Amino acid sequence: MTRIIAGAARGLGLAVPDAGTRPTSDRVRESLFGSLETHGLIDGARVLDLYAGSGALGLESASRGASAVDLVEKARAAAAVASRNAAGVAKATGVGARVHQSGVLPFLRSTSLVWDLVFIDPPYDVAEGEIAEVLAALTPRLSPDAVVIVERAKRSPAPDWSAAGMSAMRDKTYGDTTVWWGELASV
């Protein structure tokens, strides 16, 4: 069962779409969010969760003090699940997550919003070229100190940060999953 690990909505169960998504494990989320909190990257942050599925990453951020959360999910059924999960977290936290039923690239190309923390957790079969396009479209939507987290299969190559005007910060592997951290490149 997927659940909120910590914060105001701690222990709240999250529904998971029946198919087409791969929820981030509790172990990975616990470690990732521990690091994010240690670096002061969640409290008050504007958070974007791309390929959101159930919305677990963005909603964990809301539970831990993010000020705004946007969840982007193309699949209608998954977006409906994310909306229900967001409503439950909003009751516990007072932070309402906006769910955008849209493809990631069309959403990024049409929005004027800016974020401080971004999660990119696509299905493992999403091509590296699409990830590169997403990073490039995302760059103008980042605050100066923003952090971008990309979660992929361990066998996947590292994101091409430099092509998007970004640089790698760190990476960590958990079983068959690797999490990469990136930031805007220094000018």
Side-chain angles (χ1 to χ4, degrees), residues 7-8 33 37 41-48 57-70 89 93-97 115-117 119:
F33 278 91
E37 283 186 322
L41 297 172
I42 300 174
D43 194 37
R46 296 162 296 177
V47 177
L48 176 62
L57 294 172
L59 297 175
E60 185 75 37
S61 299
S63 181
R64 294 178 186 236
S67 64
V69 176
D70 288 284
V89 170
T93 65
V95 177
W115 295 279
D116 307 306
L117 178 60
F119 297 101

Side-chain angles (χ1 to χ4, degrees), residues 97-159:
R98 296 173 293 214
V99 178
H100 309 271
Q101 185 187 340
S102 172
V104 168
L105 285 167
F107 174 79
L108 290 173
R109 290 175 179 149
S110 67
T111 188
S112 61
L113 298 171
V114 174
W115 295 279
D116 307 306
L117 178 60
V118 179
F119 297 101
I120 303 173
D121 183 15
Y124 283 165
D125 63 351
V126 168
E128 299 309 314
E130 181 175 332
I131 300 302
E133 284 184 75
V134 167
L135 290 172
L138 179 63
T139 300
R141 307 274 45 100
L142 297 174
S143 66
D145 296 322
V147 172
V148 176
I149 306 292
V150 177
E151 179 181 337
R152 302 282 281 153
K154 178 173 75 174
R155 66 185 180 278
S156 300

Side-chain angles (χ1 to χ4, degrees), residues 17-23 53 73 75 78 122-123 125:
D18 291 335
T21 64
R22 177 194 38 77
E73 174 55 53
D125 63 351

